[in-house]
Amino acid sequence: MLDWIRPRALNQLGMLSMNKRNIDYIARYNDRRAYPLVDNKLQTKLVVDEYEVASPELLQVVSEQHEIGHFRERVAALDGFAIKPAKGSGGKGILVITGREGDDFVKPSGARVSLADIERHLSNILAGLYSLGGSPDVAVIEALVRCDPRLARYSHEGVPDIRIVVFKGYPVMAMLRLATHASDGKANLHQGAVGVGLNLANGQALNAVQFDRPIEQHPDNGLNLADIRIDNWHYLLNMSSRCYEATGLGYMGVDLVVDETRGPLLLELNARPGLAIQIANGQGLLPRLKAIEGLKRPHLTPEERVHWAMTQAGADHISAPQRSLPELEPAFQA
């Protein structure tokens, strides 16, 4: 049985449609000259660093086919790492290695891949197999993100991340994306990851979905998703807001992760964030976007914008954001 809803009902819920997003927000507020900053992960890392937005450590860049032959020597001392196409999108082409077994490399799911498999993957990245428009690309090798265990326990075979939609520098909606067996350990909703809507006021779980259907427990580990509450929430929102100054993009998605030693890190930025975040939250984006468009005196700093957004969402007391590392202050509590 398919569940249907009338367009009028969607409008009443304030749901932002794809056409309206593309015309009224992406085309209007995103200067195309800034797209290379977010469509290229290597460029993103360089530009956000100037605005004190941390990202995973860059280990190396493979830009020529002849460099692939030296890959074994470059990763000989590494137990884990992540390979990403610089111009990839939607999580395509990302290969995460979490360990070694003999001469083989081990993925988060436990599957083993050989050096030849990785070299072939690198060659495909350089050929543009995963890049936007199929243009030639480079492979970015980053240090492995080891998620804070209190957050990682809610995910399965992969690192969970936090997507925050930012409009004119204001965080407007957020969700936690949890990897599943169906998503092959990737935090991608279209591939079967779980989306958990988060209250902007405090990082508390509001609603959860998988394949656009409401759920209450994680399908693989059975944990109750309503118990989720993100700690250090104020700092995460401030990180997302600072990305507005870094890029100048008026409408974007900011993807963050919490590392067990380094704390909050930026994974990537998206100039065309998807709309499934509305389903995860059970609320539409449109009223929030219009509220910001209607501001007579926009707030000028990330701290002011975040304070306004949290207050609008119902926060009672907002303390100054502090970047506490997980070993000092857990990045997640349930």
Side-chain angles (χ1 to χ4, degrees):
M1 293 287 291
L2 293 175
D3 294 331
W4 299 92
I5 185 170
R6 294 180 182 274
R8 173 182 283 185
L10 289 174
N11 290 334
Q12 291 173 342
L13 291 171
M15 291 292 178
L16 179 66
S17 68
M18 184 176 293
N19 286 341
K20 192 169 186 63
R21 179 204 64 177
N22 293 345
I23 297 171
D24 292 350
Y25 293 97
I26 293 178
R28 182 178 178 184
Y29 292 103
N30 287 356
D31 187 340
R32 294 194 65 84
R33 291 174 295 183
Y35 277 33
L37 297 178
V38 296
D39 286 344
N40 187 311
K41 294 180 179 63
L42 191 55
Q43 292 295 322
T44 299
K45 292 176 74 70
L46 298 176
V47 72
V48 300
D49 185 61
E50 298 178 16
Y51 291 83
E52 299 182 353
V53 176
S55 60
E57 180 187 359
L58 178 64
L59 300 177
Q60 60 179 285
V61 177
V62 178
S63 55
E64 302 288 345
Q65 291 286 345
H66 68 84
E67 296 174 350
I68 296 175
H70 303 290
F71 182 76
R72 179 197 288 272
E73 302 137 41
R74 293 181 177 180
V75 299
L78 299 177
D79 289 329
F81 51 86
I83 300 175
K84 303 177 181 180
K87 294 185 285 189
S89 64
K92 297 175 183 175
I94 296 177
L95 176 62
V96 177
I97 299 298
T98 57
R100 301 280 190 93
E101 286 187 12
D103 292 333
D104 289 339
F105 299 83
V106 182
K107 295 169 61 177
S109 64
R112 296 168 63 167
V113 293
S114 66
L115 177 63
D117 293 330
I118 293 180
E119 290 178 338
R120 189 179 308 110
H121 185 68
L122 289 168
S123 182
N124 287 337
I125 288 176
L126 268 55
L129 183 62
Y130 308 105
S131 68
L132 293 166
S135 60
D137 203 355
V138 301
V140 177
I141 292 89
E142 294 180 336
L144 180 66
V145 172
R146 299 189 184 277
C147 186
D148 183 279
R150 301 192 185 194
L151 176 56
R153 66 189 288 260
Y154 280 90
S155 195
H156 182 74
E157 298 179 351
V159 175
D161 69 15
I162 298 167
R163 158 65 61 87
I164 303 174
V165 174
V166 177
F167 178 51
K168 299 178 73 173
Y170 294 84
V172 291
M173 192 168 282
M175 70 173 167
L176 173 68
R177 299 184 293 198
L178 302 171
T180 66
H181 181 73
S183 69
D184 191 29
K186 296 178 181 178
N188 187 304
L189 265 60
H190 300 293
Q191 296 177 0
V194 170
V196 182
L198 300 172
N199 190 334
L200 276 184
N202 51 26
Q204 176 70 45
L206 295 170
N207 187 54
V209 296
Q210 184 186 32
F211 294 118
D212 297 337
R213 298 283 182 171
I215 61 173
E216 295 182 356
Q217 288 86 31
H218 191 286
D220 297 305
N221 56 43
L223 292 177
N224 188 359
L225 301 174
D227 294 337
I228 293 174
R229 184 186 177 108
I230 309 293
D231 202 7
N232 224 5
W233 182 239
H234 195 179
Y235 185 82
L236 289 165
L237 292 181
N238 268 271
M239 279 186 72
S240 71
S241 183
R242 288 200 296 273
C243 292
Y244 172 62
E245 271 78 14
T247 65
L249 287 173
Y251 186 83
M252 63 180 163
V254 179
D255 296 342
L256 304 171
V257 68
V258 181
D259 186 83
E260 66 177 344
T261 57
R262 294 190 61 199
L265 302 173
L266 174 72
L267 284 183
E268 64 178 356
L269 301 175
N270 193 321
R272 314 162 192 83
L275 300 170
I277 191 170
Q278 300 178 107
I279 301 174
N281 276 266
Q283 302 175 35
L285 276 163
L286 208 49
R288 304 183 185 193
L289 300 175
K290 289 186 176 297
I292 293 168
E293 287 180 309
L295 287 174
K296 294 182 179 179
R297 294 184 180 180
H299 303 84
L300 300 180
T301 68
E303 291 76 15
E304 291 174 338
R305 294 191 296 263
V306 168
H307 189 280
W308 182 88
M310 294 179 72
T311 301
Q312 292 295 305
D316 296 323
H317 173 71
I318 303 174
S319 58
Q322 297 180 354
R323 190 189 181 208
S324 301
L325 294 181
E327 63 265 32
L328 301 178
E329 177 183 338
F332 183 90
Q333 66 182 40

